[in-house]
Amino acid sequence: IGESPQKAIDDGVDVNEAQAEWLEPVGSLFNQEKFAHTYNLERKQRYECHTDNAAQLAAVADDARPKVLWGYFSDYSSGFDAPASPNYYVTYAEHCQADLLIPEEGKEGSIDSWGYKYMTDEEWLEFGRDADVWIYPSDNFNKLLSQKNEYLQQFKAVQNEQVYDYQMSGGEGWFEKRLAEYDIVLLDMCQVVGRNLETFPP
């Protein structure tokens, strides 16, 4: 239930809207088809409204499109987990008129851990040092800061205190809620990059 990012792109539909489709068939199991359909329709309308607002704000902004770094340090693999495209967070950045950094093919990282690529400190610095915002999808940033403070201070986002994680809603809450409240996640992303009405100009 719900489409993968690649299938959504192949079908020409929005990744985040497609992944939320699971609500309606699940709602039918509890005789809540109407509620689920209305809920999804309202989310879709808000999602499109936030997208339109970001585009209008970007059109009158005098700054360049914000660059967003998405990734975290894996204690297990001793490297930085770089973003991949297509994915839901790439779509969020696009809707907010921001550019999410994606490594070039073959430069995903030189650390091979159980079939996944991770970047060394040097590779991650080269990749993300100039990003305006760093979204850190894990719970160990403070630990990393205490261990690699001098290293992290080389990142523009760290220098400007523009590093964000999802811990406000708890360790698992954000990952669970984003599938049902994708419009709110989009609003959060746009606020972080200065592309919503409450934070313009940032």
Side-chain angles (χ1 to χ4, degrees):
I1 298 175
E3 298 192 41
S4 69
Q6 185 59 60
K7 188 175 189 306
I9 289 175
D10 293 342
D11 292 343
V13 297
D14 185 276
V15 169
N16 297 305
E17 290 181 12
Q19 289 185 332
E21 290 179 352
W22 63 272
L23 287 169
E24 295 194 38
V26 170
S28 68
L29 299 176
F30 299 93
N31 295 319
Q32 295 291 327
E33 298 96 330
K34 183 178 180 180
F35 171 80
H37 177 73
T38 301
Y39 181 91
N40 258 359
L41 181 60
E42 291 174 349
R43 294 291 174 184
K44 177 180 174 66
Q45 291 171 340
R46 293 191 190 105
Y47 187 75
E48 293 174 350
C49 180
H50 300 330
T51 299
D52 291 343
N53 287 341
Q56 293 177 29
L57 293 174
V60 299
D62 58 2
D63 57 348
R65 283 171 64 102
K67 292 187 291 185
V68 180
L69 177 64
W70 181 289
Y72 69 97
F73 184 80
S74 169
D75 292 320
Y76 180 79
S77 301
S78 298
F80 286 92
D81 181 41
S85 181
N87 218 314
Y88 69 90
Y89 41 75
V90 178
T91 302
Y92 282 131
E94 291 172 350
H95 279 287
C96 293
Q97 302 295 311
D99 295 323
L100 196 142
L101 302 178
I102 300 294
E104 298 177 11
E105 185 175 355
K107 294 185 177 181
E108 297 88 350
S110 59
I111 300 173
D112 192 345
S113 179
W114 296 94
Y116 293 92
K117 294 291 186 180
Y118 294 84
M119 291 188 179
T120 64
D121 286 2
E122 293 75 16
E123 291 168 339
W124 188 249
L125 181 61
E126 180 181 357
F127 174 64
R129 70 188 308 161
D130 294 325
D132 300 292
V133 173
W134 184 352
I135 297 181
Y136 195 91
S138 190
D139 60 0
N140 64 339
F141 182 77
N142 288 337
K143 175 183 176 182
L144 183 67
L145 188 62
S146 67
Q147 296 174 339
K148 297 176 179 283
N149 181 62
E150 185 175 347
Y151 164 75
L152 292 174
Q153 294 304 322
Q154 300 176 80
F155 288 82
K156 178 181 177 181
V158 176
Q159 295 170 9
N160 294 334
E161 298 183 349
Q162 293 297 306
V163 181
Y164 301 87
D165 65 18
Y166 58 80
Q167 289 298 295
M168 184 66 73
S169 58
E172 301 299 331
W174 189 85
F175 283 107
E176 295 173 356
K177 290 181 179 179
R178 75 164 182 83
L179 293 174
E181 299 180 344
Y182 62 97
D183 59 313
I184 295 177
V185 180
L186 177 63
L187 186 61
D188 287 345
M189 171 75 86
C190 290
Q191 182 171 348
V192 163
V193 300
R195 290 291 186 262
N196 78 6
L197 296 176
E198 294 181 359
T199 61
F200 182 78

